Amino acid sequence: MKALVVRGGWDGHRPVEATERFIPFLRDAGFAVDVSGSLEVYAAGVAGYDLVVQCWSDGVLTAEQFAGLESAVRGGTGFAGWHGGIVDSFRGTREYMWLVGGQFVAHPGDFADHRVEVVADHPVVAGLDGFALRTEQYWVLADGLNDVLATTTFQPAGAWDRPVTVPAVWTRRWGAGRVFVCTPGHAPEDLDVPQVRTIVERGLLWAARRG
């Protein structure tokens, strides 16, 4: 099994520190892990990997880079990530948003106390209950074809006159590939919350067809 970690973009999400939390886990799970700090790796071709873990907020994805990533996922390579590293990436590439199944738009209230509620029976969230977080709460636009595993609810504030619930964790299929997204994870410390870490670890394995 081979995994590729692609990290970079906006430094505020501390992509190196965040991904270093999961590289030992992947190696212990039997993956040979490569790391790239350049998006050119997508254009070079990543179809030989079982899993691509992306932590790249903002940034620009060229047509050649997207084509390399998309064809690999469609052919069976798993694609996974958390927070802005996967759903606040490459806003200029609409096809990328279609691949991922959602897009970050805002985190009203900035750092806020909120809950993540498990809403599905799925190996990624099996045995987990809802849990509380104080961090950025992502409001996302998401594809109705996603398999939503957990949600988060925003309470009325400002112009909103009633609560609104959005996906917080989801999976989806893209051709023969599997895509996993976890919206919590703004700071590396958020990834240390036991439930978040469990969800991400299981999500990586699920995307790679190991769970």
Side-chain angles (χ1 to χ4, degrees), residues 18-33:
T19 53
E20 286 295 328
R21 277 165 161 72
F22 296 100
I23 290 174
F25 167 78
L26 289 171
R27 288 180 174 146
D28 288 345
F31 289 86
V33 181

Side-chain angles (χ1 to χ4, degrees), residues 11-184:
D11 286 339
H13 283 149
R14 293 149 67 186
V16 173
E17 186 178 348
T19 53
E20 286 295 328
R21 277 165 161 72
F22 296 100
I23 290 174
F25 167 78
L26 289 171
R27 288 180 174 146
D28 288 345
F31 289 86
V33 181
D34 294 331
V35 178
S36 178
S38 170
L39 297 174
E40 277 302 304
V41 71
Y42 289 154
V46 293
Y49 289 95
D50 300 284
L51 174 67
V52 174
V53 182
Q54 180 181 281
C55 188
W56 197 294
S57 302
D58 295 333
V60 175
L61 198 65
T62 68
E64 293 77 14
Q65 290 163 354
F66 173 74
L69 173 63
E70 190 276 337
S71 65
V73 177
R74 183 160 33 90
T77 297
F79 188 53
W82 54 85
H83 202 64
I86 194 167
V87 291
D88 192 19
S89 313
F90 321 131
R91 287 171 176 256
T93 304
R94 286 173 292 180
E95 296 86 354
Y96 171 82
M97 301 178 200
W98 190 21
L99 166 67
V100 171
Q103 175 64 46
F104 159 77
V105 179
H107 46 78
D110 200 13
F111 283 69
D113 293 315
H114 63 281
R115 288 187 58 81
V116 173
E117 301 293 351
V118 174
V119 296
D121 180 13
H122 190 279
V124 170
V125 292
L128 297 179
D129 297 320
F131 55 96
L133 291 173
R134 179 171 179 78
T135 185
E136 288 182 348
Q137 184 183 20
Y138 264 17
W139 187 83
V140 295
L141 297 175
D143 186 347
L145 290 176
N146 293 338
D147 294 317
V148 178
L149 309 186
T151 62
T152 189
T153 298
F154 293 84
Q155 299 304 316
W160 283 343
D161 63 355
R162 58 187 182 275
V164 59
T165 299
V166 300
V169 180
W170 69 81
T171 59
R172 66 194 270 110
R173 307 298 178 109
W174 188 262
R178 294 179 172 191
V179 178
F180 162 78
V181 175
C182 175
T183 65

